[in-house]
Amino acid sequence: MTVLLRRLRAMIAADGPLSVAHYMAACLFDPRDGYYVANPGLGADFTTAPEISQMFGELLGLWAVQSWLDMASPDPCALIELGPGRGVLMADAWRAARSVAPGFALAAFPVLVEASPQLASAQNARLAPLSVRPRWVNRLEEAWRGPMMLLANEFLDCLPIRQFVRTPLGWHERLVGLDGPDGLGFVLAPEPLRDDALIPPALFDAPHGVVAEVRPSLEGLVDHLALRLLAHPGRALLIDYGPANAESGDTLQAVQAGQKLSPFAAPGLSDLSARVDFSAIRRLARACGLTVAGPIGQGHWLEALGIAARMQGLASANPQRADALAQEYARLTDAAQMGALFQVICLSSPGLPAPAGF
Ligand SMILES: C[S@@+](CC[C@H](N)C(=O)[O-])C[C@H]1O[C@@H](n2cnc3c(N)ncnc32)[C@H](O)[C@@H]1O
């Protein structure tokens, strides 16, 4: 039994079942035993696009430069990243951006929004050789306000979700309760919701037994992005795994050492995430008055930005890496790998040209 499991069981025994959102937040960010605080296993438990290939971060860096040019080169401006992991994406993006546009590197400064002290120190180590001085904040609300390009890869999938199940009596919240002498499992709240406003409208008439997921913090995040993007020119590029159109079902998943396992098997020692509903982002952003491009599949987007040419350029310079580069390219772009599972969406200040790649 993990330390966190023992504590969560004691908490549930005393106060009753937890919402899935509360459980996810504890598993990921409990200040003592949360996965990202105590055991961030990025690279060991799972691998993200920037960790697969330098081409990913480089193309995002070039995309940021093009966005900066589209905004008439504001100085100063922030290159903000939400959830930078081990800092690989920002390091590759900054290196590529600086090499094509030295003026960008003079005008822009990186801001890293990171809640994990351990990962913030890994980011510091990764970025130090680039002689760039990033600023760190715990929450986006604390970051410098002004013109910005914001990047977020596999950040939204970690934001806690709530789950609801349709029964003949209505929608009941799915909660995390005790299961046997040393486990945890799903239970249903005894009373149905009084108000269905939380349920995505497309699922109102879903059959009994269907699970609906909602991510309560998404609305606050999009509202906050709108506050910034309506006050200053900017763009937010969000990349994650999930459907382009709302769907039902339980998508909460735990991963450890590259294997999926029950979300209750190793709380605090496995990563927890759930698919991102891109149609909700599009709807919320449009309602705030932002211009939205996408979502489109990551494969198409990277192809439109020129990943094939970048691969060929790198392979000509390093022929011994040609096969490895071809494999990286395939992992990022193939529809059967990350190319279609991952979606890209861009929220922009009104009045800017269409963003590159869409
Ligand atoms: C799955 S990792 C992705 C890392 C990186 N973007 C990449 O592509 O390699 C999630 C990152 O988001 C951070 N994170 C998750 N939720 C957060 C929150 N609410 N506030 C700040 N950082 C958060 C984690 O600590 C971690 O750095």
Side-chain angles (χ1 to χ4, degrees):
M1 196 188 289
T2 69
V3 181
L4 187 59
L5 176 55
R6 192 168 300 125
R7 285 176 47 216
L8 288 170
R9 275 187 57 90
M11 201 188 297
I12 293 169
D15 300 331
L18 306 172
S19 69
V20 173
H22 191 156
Y23 177 70
M24 233 177 133
C27 287
L28 297 179
F29 282 104
D30 176 85
R32 203 169 63 198
D33 301 311
Y35 178 75
Y36 281 113
V37 176
N39 316 288
L42 241 161
D45 290 327
F46 61 97
T47 308
T48 59
E51 302 249 351
I52 289 170
S53 175
Q54 69 184 83
M55 295 185 282
F56 186 83
E58 289 171 350
L59 289 172
L60 266 71
L62 302 187
W63 182 91
V65 169
Q66 183 59 52
S67 289
W68 178 69
L69 295 171
D70 290 344
M71 294 173 211
S73 314
D75 180 0
C77 72
L79 178 60
I80 300 180
E81 187 181 353
L82 299 181
R86 297 197 292 188
V88 178
L89 192 163
M90 182 58 86
D92 289 337
W94 191 263
R95 203 173 21 78
R98 187 174 62 182
S99 72
V100 296
F104 172 86
L106 293 173
F109 55 92
V111 179
L112 303 173
V113 181
E114 178 56 70
S116 157
Q118 242 195 70
L119 286 175
S121 94
Q123 292 151 20
N124 191 19
R126 176 76 60 165
L127 289 164
L130 294 181
S131 310
V132 54
R133 292 190 176 203
R135 305 172 187 182
W136 276 270
V137 291
N138 280 311
R139 303 169 61 238
L140 178 60
E141 288 77 358
E142 296 159 15
W144 181 81
R145 299 201 185 192
M148 68 165 189
M149 285 76 61
L150 178 143
L151 310 173
N153 183 60
E154 290 210 49
F155 170 79
L156 302 174
D157 62 2
C158 309
L159 299 181
I161 53 158
R162 288 174 73 182
Q163 293 186 331
F164 302 91
V165 180
R166 181 97 199 273
T167 78
L169 298 178
W171 288 93
H172 293 248
E173 181 146 19
R174 208 175 186 212
L175 303 171
V176 177
L178 301 179
D179 184 25
D182 47 26
L184 295 173
F186 287 121
V187 295
L188 281 195
E191 297 296 325
L193 292 178
R194 291 220 184 96
D195 179 350
D196 288 351
L198 277 173
I199 305 299
L203 301 180
F204 276 166
D205 297 323
H208 299 154
V210 159
V211 176
E213 289 183 344
V214 293
R215 199 168 242 117
S217 52
L218 196 58
E219 190 167 347
L221 175 65
V222 174
D223 278 353
H224 181 73
L225 289 173
L227 201 74
R228 288 170 171 267
L229 296 173
L230 296 176
H232 306 278
R235 287 202 175 120
L237 185 75
L238 312 174
I239 307 177
D240 229 301
Y241 77 107
N245 295 306
E247 58 178 23
S248 62
D250 170 9
T251 76
L252 181 65
Q253 71 166 27
V255 179
Q256 190 180 47
Q259 303 295 320
K260 286 189 188 171
L261 61 164
S262 154
F264 305 121
L269 298 180
S270 55
D271 183 44
L272 276 187
S273 65
R275 280 159 76 86
V276 173
D277 175 3
F278 281 84
S279 66
I281 301 177
R282 190 176 47 207
R283 179 172 36 79
L284 291 166
R286 283 198 178 141
C288 292
L290 297 178
T291 306
V292 180
I296 64 167
Q298 173 177 296
H300 288 304
W301 188 74
L302 290 173
E303 293 288 6
L305 288 185
I307 188 169
R310 180 62 184 144
M311 176 187 59
Q312 278 152 16
L314 285 169
S316 310
N318 312 276
Q320 73 288 0
R321 287 213 64 235
D323 288 348
L325 285 160
Q327 280 173 21
E328 294 169 11
Y329 165 80
R331 277 185 80 180
L332 296 179
T333 59
D334 262 15
Q337 301 194 56
M338 295 174 82
L341 175 63
F342 280 73
Q343 304 284 322
V344 187
I345 194 167
C346 177
L347 317 185
S348 297
S349 305
L352 295 177
F358 290 89

